[in-house]
């Protein structure tokens, strides 16, 4: 595990009134063992709604209760509330996990390319026609991705979700 320092990419788990949410970003400064992090916050509103409705169990609930870079796909495969994050984070209160640059760019690309919405549209389609259209849109978007790592990641998720 690498040392936390200015310039490091991180995956931060924070807690609010309703659930855990995560921040992916970069440490821009550190002082007195607290870190100023600039990046993107990710709140899994689709997953929270599915859990409240009783439609999610197992790994998605585990991912919400204890998110980390390895299980966060269950956290970010549905509708998200995202936005800019630029705050001080205290590792005595919030979990800070160093991640490598590639992992950061895959997660960031996943959000910037609206992958959660596309997967959500597929999973929440009612009719077979809607599902086929959502699948077609998702495949077209996957084929147009420029980042090879992101493309491989999205294809892997689509295959494991039995979309492909």
């Amino acid at each position: 595990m690498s040392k936390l320092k200015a310039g490091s990419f991180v995956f931060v788990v924070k807690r609010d009134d309703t659930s855990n949410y995560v921040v992916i970003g970069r440490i821009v400064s550190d002082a007195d063992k607290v870190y100023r992090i600039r990046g993107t916050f990710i709140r899994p509103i689709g997953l929270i709604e599915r859990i409240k409705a009783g439609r999610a169990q197992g790994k998605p609930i585990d991912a919400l209760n204890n998110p980390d870079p390895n299980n966060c796909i269950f956290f970010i495969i549905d509708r998200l509330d995202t936005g800019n994050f630029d705050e001080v984070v205290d590792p005595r209160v919030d979990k800070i996990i160093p991640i490598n640059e590639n992992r950061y760019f895959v997660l960031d690309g996943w959000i910037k390319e609206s992958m959660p919405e596309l997967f959500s549209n597929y999973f929440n389609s009612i009719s077979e026609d809607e599902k086929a259209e959502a699948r077609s849109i998702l495949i077209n978007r996957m084929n147009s991705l420029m980042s090879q790592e992101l493309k491989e990641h999205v294809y892997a998720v689509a295959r494991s979700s039995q979309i492909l």
Side-chain angles (χ1 to χ4, degrees):
M1 190 182 296
S2 68
K3 197 103 162 107
L4 296 174
K5 62 183 183 226
S8 297
F9 290 97
V10 291
F11 181 97
V12 180
V13 180
K14 294 187 68 61
R15 179 96 187 146
D16 67 8
D17 297 341
T18 58
S19 70
N20 287 319
Y21 68 100
V22 300
V23 174
I24 57 166
R26 195 172 212 174
I27 297 173
V28 292
S29 66
D30 59 278
D32 298 325
K33 297 188 181 183
V34 295
Y35 304 94
R36 181 164 208 78
I37 297 175
R38 188 171 295 143
T40 304
F41 73 85
I42 305 165
R43 189 177 320 277
I45 56 175
L47 176 57
I48 292 168
E49 290 171 359
R50 283 187 313 166
I51 290 170
K52 285 181 181 176
R55 294 180 312 183
Q57 54 189 338
K59 290 180 182 179
I61 292 174
D62 293 341
L64 183 63
N65 292 334
N66 191 23
D68 67 45
N70 297 320
N71 71 6
C72 69
I73 191 61
F74 297 107
F75 201 82
I76 63 173
I77 200 166
D78 205 337
R79 288 182 305 112
L80 300 175
D81 175 23
T82 64
N84 293 330
F85 184 89
D86 188 357
E87 295 179 21
V88 172
V89 175
D90 186 341
R92 293 169 292 211
V93 177
D94 303 309
K95 184 164 70 170
I96 303 176
I97 303 167
I99 58 175
N100 66 38
E101 184 177 12
N102 290 343
R103 175 72 60 102
Y104 169 79
F105 283 115
V106 165
L107 293 172
D108 187 59
W110 184 274
I111 292 160
K112 287 183 177 162
E113 294 289 343
S114 303
M115 290 297 140
E117 291 173 32
L118 296 173
F119 276 88
S120 177
N121 289 343
Y122 176 82
F123 292 132
N124 295 317
S125 296
I126 297 171
S127 72
E128 286 303 314
D129 288 342
E130 286 177 347
K131 195 171 280 276
E133 182 179 350
R135 180 180 183 275
S136 176
I137 292 169
L138 180 59
I139 290 171
N140 285 338
R141 177 63 68 87
M142 289 188 310
N143 289 335
S144 70
L145 293 173
M146 298 302 285
S147 164
Q148 189 61 35
E149 284 191 48
L150 177 58
K151 185 182 272 192
E152 289 171 4
H153 186 75
V154 173
Y155 268 91
V157 172
R159 280 190 302 274
S160 67
S161 301
Q162 299 178 343
I163 295 171
L164 297 179

